[in-house]
Amino acid sequence: MMPTKPKTQQKLSDAELEKILNSPTLFVMNIIGATPTRYQAEFLESTASRIILLAGRRVGKSTMIAWKAIWTAFVKPEQEILLIAPSFRQAQVIYQMIYDIVSSNEFIRSHTTKLNMAELRFDNKSVIRNFTAGKTGEYVRGYGASMLIFDEAGMIPDMVFGAIEPSMAVRGETLILSGTPYGKRGRFWQAYDDATGPFNNGKWTVFKIRSTESPIVSQEFLAEERTRLTAAEFAQEYEVEWVDEVGRYFPLELVFSSTEDYEYKLYNDDTYKYYMGVDVSHMGLDETAIVIIAKNEDNYKVVYAQSLSKVDLIQTAGRIVEILRTMHINKIMVDNIGVGAGLVDILKKQTSDNIVPVTLEGKRRLEAYSKIKAFLEQKRLTLSRGDTKFLYQFSNYTSEYTSSGDLRVIKDVKGHDDLVDALTLAVFGADVTYSVTPIMDELNDVMRYNTGAIMNDLATINRRYPNDPYRQPRGGSPI
């Protein structure tokens, strides 16, 4: 049954309306009232049953997926369309767009029988639903699907694909994998490799849309981003290129496998202890980062993370004090290198004595990164799947061995690492195997590497940490 004509299109003949409804591009232009770009129209018109949509920033990926879902459900009867994303927040992005388009369009809305933020039903018995992927696909297992859309597919666990794809077997219709190509790993990469590699099975149609193709992205903006980002970050985000995992100290597969779907919130639970790490901005593109972890026995969970851009020490201290009004933090570990010492002084005047200045350099920094990696491998550290900025900062760390056989962890000078370093500080404070005595740790380093300069360096350390309340013998009472 053909939908009745929209009031704004009453002059259309039945033949003209049928032509519009039969073309998703014409539907978008004449019914929704938008103008697709060339690549958006190509995606909309594709009848392929297996689609990979690789999209750079600002190309309108979410918009074109929303249009395709609406057109499919509106024109074709008894369609079951599932939108699946790694986190609740991400799952809401495309569905919110669908909801806004339908609710504001009188013609389309007049053919709905149910419209809320979980489900959209049309009078032709088609339905659009959105879900969070979860770890195993437990939230969507059992639902049928004639169109299955995985957004940010590179962040969805492989177990989810195995649980959900069989739901398409009944009718075997459309599967769309969309997102940014982060790392040659997982189901998203495997599908792309199948489609473009030497053993192309012909099952997949690939749309690769670089940011340079978007009419709203200027060359000036891209030039600025090239300066701001690492080469790998720019290749992934704007040129939609897959970057090798070789050399990464924190493999993305390891990072993503340690995530769960939850939102940050400031709260206290008496069964946990809370530790804050503060990595203070030093220069250039750095941001000051605040990360809070909750510790329960030997397990850790990031419960809050925030980056502060272009703020001074007073503003940073103000934000920390504001957090302390809501949460009790057992220890606040502050990067004490450079201007961080100034933040320590400000905080000690405004808060309690749980401020701990920490200097992580040399082997002690490598030891701290190694601890983070070990916790990820042991599934003792949980990260939020929705905080993609945090997750992708792990990719800015590479490693290599020196000529003497020592491992070095190298941070890309153009990449952001502040959140990961703040996490490292928080874990440093929470892990009972560490001493929190920056003075004596530095003295031990001096003794180990330059015995002849012990007395001079001790005097320097005493000047740097006068009357420090945390001075204690190494191995003394930990946090």
Side-chain angles (χ1 to χ4, degrees), residues 391-408:
L391 299 180
Y392 292 130
Q393 281 194 11
F394 283 95
S395 65
N396 289 324
Y397 295 76
T398 57
S399 61
E400 66 178 20
Y401 284 93
T402 66
S403 58
S404 59
D406 294 326
L407 180 68
R408 292 176 58 208

Side-chain angles (χ1 to χ4, degrees), residues 163-450:
I164 298 175
E165 287 183 12
S167 69
M168 301 182 66
V170 177
R171 284 179 286 191
E173 294 189 8
T174 305
L175 172 61
I176 299 175
L177 307 182
S178 73
T180 306
Y182 289 105
K184 295 181 177 180
R185 42 161 291 283
R187 180 75 173 92
F188 195 26
W189 158 250
Q190 291 169 4
Y192 179 80
D193 192 44
D194 288 343
T196 60
F199 303 104
N200 182 0
N201 55 24
K203 292 182 179 179
W204 293 92
T205 296
V206 178
F207 292 90
K208 189 173 184 178
I209 307 169
R210 297 176 175 84
S211 297
T212 52
E213 299 178 61
S214 172
I216 66 171
V217 177
S218 68
Q219 291 301 315
E220 291 76 15
F221 172 78
L222 291 175
E224 291 176 1
E225 290 296 274
R226 282 186 184 276
T227 302
R228 186 179 69 86
L229 301 175
T230 67
E233 286 175 326
F234 188 87
Q236 290 174 159
E237 298 289 340
Y238 293 100
E239 296 176 335
V240 287
E241 298 295 339
W242 300 89
V243 178
D244 284 320
E245 288 277 83
V246 177
R248 280 183 172 161
Y249 185 70
F250 299 104
L252 287 180
E253 181 67 34
L254 173 63
V255 174
F256 290 147
S257 67
S258 302
T259 63
E260 292 182 2
D261 180 28
Y262 61 91
E263 300 293 321
Y264 294 141
K265 57 181 178 178
L266 297 172
Y267 69 100
N268 272 109
D269 182 332
D270 291 341
T271 61
Y272 292 87
K273 290 185 177 181
Y274 296 90
Y275 300 86
M276 177 188 292
V278 184
D279 183 63
V280 185
S281 171
H282 296 292
M283 63 183 68
L285 297 174
D286 281 357
E287 296 177 330
T288 292
I290 300 171
V291 172
I292 301 173
I293 61 172
K295 180 181 180 182
N296 184 355
E297 296 181 349
D298 291 329
N299 295 312
Y300 306 80
K301 181 178 182 177
V302 176
V303 296
Y304 182 78
Q306 181 182 14
S307 294
L308 303 173
S309 181
K310 299 179 181 179
V311 296
D312 58 27
L313 295 181
I314 298 297
Q315 292 170 305
T316 301
R319 177 56 184 150
I320 293 172
V321 171
E322 183 181 19
I323 291 172
L324 294 178
R325 294 193 185 106
T326 303
M327 291 188 69
H328 170 71
I329 305 295
N330 294 78
K331 292 294 177 185
I332 302 173
M333 317 298 289
V334 182
D335 170 26
N336 198 45
I337 300 174
V339 296
L343 179 62
V344 170
D345 291 339
I346 296 171
L347 288 173
K348 283 189 174 182
K349 293 175 182 177
Q350 298 188 38
T351 65
S352 60
D353 61 355
N354 61 348
I355 311 299
V356 183
V358 179
T359 303
L360 290 180
E361 290 183 309
K363 288 196 172 184
R364 192 169 350 137
R365 180 175 289 274
L366 175 61
E367 188 177 306
Y369 289 147
S370 176
K371 182 66 67 173
I372 295 292
K373 187 173 184 179
F375 285 174
L376 292 172
E377 292 172 339
Q378 297 161 11
K379 306 304 178 190
R380 294 172 55 194
L381 175 59
T382 303
L383 310 169
S384 171
R385 191 173 300 146
D387 193 350
T388 54
K389 177 179 179 178
F390 196 164
L391 299 180
Y392 292 130
Q393 281 194 11
F394 283 95
S395 65
N396 289 324
Y397 295 76
T398 57
S399 61
E400 66 178 20
Y401 284 93
T402 66
S403 58
S404 59
D406 294 326
L407 180 68
R408 292 176 58 208
V409 175
I410 305 166
K411 297 188 289 185
D412 195 310
V413 294
K414 290 176 65 178
H416 285 291
D417 51 43
D418 20 270
L419 289 166
V420 176
D421 277 0
L423 170 64
T424 304
L425 289 164
V427 170
F428 182 88
D431 182 19
V432 296
T433 64
Y434 284 105
S435 164
V436 298
T437 318
I439 299 167
M440 297 310 298
D441 281 348
E442 288 189 14
L443 179 57
N444 281 335
D445 287 343
V446 171
M447 294 177 66
R448 189 178 297 113
Y449 297 110
N450 196 353

